[in-house]
């Protein structure tokens, strides 16, 4: 059960959020509950959409972005984001079940992606306090400066949605995946 209002339609959302939600609907074909609950603060919704959109144009491959999202959601125990990213990982990024399971364990079956996922989990676990060796390991796996910065930004973006969904009790509107089942 949600702890704050979940607008049941675009029209029920604050006026300033409506054009943003219309954009989400145009892009995705529907408005998932994450966006509807974030719409309670048009500024927060706009900030999330802006960072998400900017990072989508970045250097990291979509598969790596989904892998990071799965690992961060698992670590943070966010069933909403696990459900959403398992669905997106499988249906948009073409990750198979074995890869999704590996990502949830904080790794990948792809050696290069494994370095990014491990780094992402370390960022979350150690609250950003990584070592020179941690950064060097990602660099040695073939990631450049821009990609390393984007890994950090994706961790922040996914942590935002994890906290938003967990704190506010966003109802899951994807096939349900539970962090406890990993």
């Amino acid at each position: 059960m949600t702890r704050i209002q979940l607008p049941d339609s675009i029209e029920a959302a604050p006026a300033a959020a409506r054009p943003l939600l219309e954009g989400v609907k145009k892009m995705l074909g529907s408005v998932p509950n994450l966006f509807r609950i974030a719409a309670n603060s048009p500024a927060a919704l706009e900030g999330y959409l802006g960072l998400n959109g900017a990072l989508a144009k970045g250097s990291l491959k979509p598969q790596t972005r989904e892998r990071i999202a799965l690992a961060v959601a698992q670590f943070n125990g966010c069933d909403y984001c696990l459900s959403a990213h398992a669905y997106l990982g499988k249906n948009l990024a073409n990750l198979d079940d074995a890869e999704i399971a590996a990502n949830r364990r904080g790794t990948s079956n792809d050696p290069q992606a494994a370095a990014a996922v491990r780094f992402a989990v370390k960022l979350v676990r150690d609250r950003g306090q990584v070592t020179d060796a941690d950064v060097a390991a990602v660099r040695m796996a073939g990631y450049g400066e821009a990609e390393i910065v984007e890994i950090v930004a994706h961790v922040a973006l996914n942590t935002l949605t994890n906290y938003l969904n967990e704190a506010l009790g966003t109802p899951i509107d994807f096939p349900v995946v539970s962090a406890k089942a990993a």
Side-chain angles (χ1 to χ4, degrees), residues 4 33-35 37-39 41-53 55 68-82 85 120 123-124 151-170:
I4 67 170
N33 288 340
L34 160 67
F35 300 98
I37 205 156
S41 168
L45 178 60
E46 182 178 4
Y48 168 73
L49 290 171
L51 182 56
N52 189 51
L55 289 174
I68 290 168
L70 285 159
V72 172
Q74 180 67 45
F75 188 89
N76 285 330
C78 181
D79 289 349
Y80 186 95
C81 290
L82 269 176
H85 290 287
L123 283 163
V124 177
I151 292 168
V152 176
H154 277 283
V155 167
L157 179 70
N158 284 285
T159 299
L160 168 64
T161 59
N162 293 171
Y163 286 11
L164 193 67
N165 291 313
E166 286 301 302
L168 302 178
T170 307

Side-chain angles (χ1 to χ4, degrees), residues 21-39:
L21 294 175
E22 288 290 352
V24 169
K25 184 175 181 180
K26 184 177 179 183
M27 183 176 59
L28 301 178
S30 66
V31 182
N33 288 340
L34 160 67
F35 300 98
R36 293 193 303 132
I37 205 156

Side-chain angles (χ1 to χ4, degrees), residues 20-159:
L20 300 169
L21 294 175
E22 288 290 352
V24 169
K25 184 175 181 180
K26 184 177 179 183
M27 183 176 59
L28 301 178
S30 66
V31 182
N33 288 340
L34 160 67
F35 300 98
R36 293 193 303 132
I37 205 156
N40 282 291
S41 168
L45 178 60
E46 182 178 4
Y48 168 73
L49 290 171
L51 182 56
N52 189 51
L55 289 174
K57 296 182 232 169
S59 302
L60 289 177
K61 295 175 186 174
Q63 293 82 1
T64 302
R65 297 192 308 255
E66 287 304 321
R67 289 171 170 125
I68 290 168
L70 285 159
V72 172
Q74 180 67 45
F75 188 89
N76 285 330
C78 181
D79 289 349
Y80 186 95
C81 290
L82 269 176
S83 299
H85 290 287
Y87 178 84
L88 295 170
K90 188 172 214 161
N91 294 293
L92 295 180
N94 297 315
L95 302 177
D96 62 26
D97 291 339
E99 181 61 19
I100 290 170
N103 302 153
R104 292 181 64 192
R105 291 190 309 274
T107 191
S108 172
N109 296 321
D110 174 271
Q112 183 183 31
V117 173
R118 282 193 302 270
F119 185 64
V121 171
K122 183 139 179 73
L123 283 163
V124 177
R125 183 180 53 239
D126 296 342
R127 294 180 286 166
Q129 302 295 315
V130 296
T131 65
D132 291 345
D134 296 324
V135 175
V138 176
R139 190 176 283 119
M140 290 294 291
Y143 291 99
E145 308 295 313
E147 293 162 317
I148 294 170
V149 170
E150 289 174 26
I151 292 168
V152 176
H154 277 283
V155 167
L157 179 70
N158 284 285
T159 299

